[in-house]
Amino acid sequence: MKLRNLSLIVCGIILLGYSCKNGNNESTEAKDSLIVTAEPSLKKMMIIAKVNVKPDKAKQFIEAAKEMIENSNKEPGCKFYQLYQDPYEAGKMVFVEEYADSNAVNAHFGAEYFKAFGPKITDLLAGPSEIKIITVDNEQIK
């Protein structure tokens, strides 16, 4: 798969009040209230969100994430929305999401369950998250 235009469009997709990094490795502080939007694109988009959870809160985080995962996978433009846990470090989690285009991403960001997720997990986090939104320019399956 060839990925191009790796860039961070928004910080705080999941976590309000934490910093995240963009494609240039510059820190950006998340705002208290975010208007989250993706740049217009009719190309497939992916979101990779690395989350650091307190190891003793991992099960609680996964339970909280289930509603988000189930609802997101029902969105018309969502191709998949999954959460993966590092088998060696219980607190290291990664959300991997794929959307039809930026309209689907923006609809996801506007969903009420999305907006409610951040406050639900704030006390479960061990540190900042790294969130990247990727536009897939050309995909080749070999």
Side-chain angles (χ1 to χ4, degrees):
M1 179 187 314
K2 179 180 176 187
L3 299 178
R4 193 182 114 213
N5 192 15
L6 180 64
S7 65
L8 177 70
I9 297 172
V10 67
C11 291
I13 289 175
I14 297 173
L15 313 168
L16 298 177
Y18 282 97
S19 64
C20 56
K21 294 183 179 180
N22 67 16
N24 296 325
N25 292 325
E26 297 171 1
S27 291
T28 306
E29 284 298 317
K31 306 280 186 214
D32 287 336
S33 66
L34 294 173
I35 298 173
V36 184
T37 58
E39 291 179 9
S41 173
L42 296 177
K43 297 177 182 175
K44 179 169 77 171
M45 299 186 82
M46 295 188 73
I47 299 176
I48 310 295
K50 296 178 184 177
V51 183
N52 296 304
V53 178
K54 295 173 185 170
D56 62 325
K57 302 291 185 185
K59 287 183 182 179
Q60 241 182 303
F61 179 85
I62 292 168
E63 281 304 311
K66 283 181 179 179
E67 178 184 2
M68 178 71 145
I69 295 164
E70 290 169 7
N71 285 323
S72 297
N73 276 309
K74 292 176 187 173
E75 294 171 6
C78 180
K79 303 294 183 184
F80 65 82
Y81 191 108
Q82 297 295 318
L83 176 64
Y84 299 92
Q85 182 179 31
D86 186 319
Y88 302 104
E89 294 184 54
K92 302 277 184 194
M93 311 263 184
V94 178
F95 285 99
V96 179
E97 310 163 38
E98 183 180 319
Y99 298 90
D101 54 29
S102 63
N103 292 328
V105 171
N106 290 333
H108 172 67
F109 292 161
E112 290 304 316
Y113 52 86
F114 173 85
K115 294 175 186 176
F117 186 59
K120 286 181 183 179
I121 62 165
T122 300
D123 294 337
L124 308 177
L125 303 175
S129 296
E130 182 181 331
I131 302 160
K132 296 184 181 193
I133 299 176
I134 303 161
T135 300
V136 180
D137 186 38
N138 184 17
E139 181 177 15
Q140 296 178 356
I141 300 173
K142 294 181 179 184

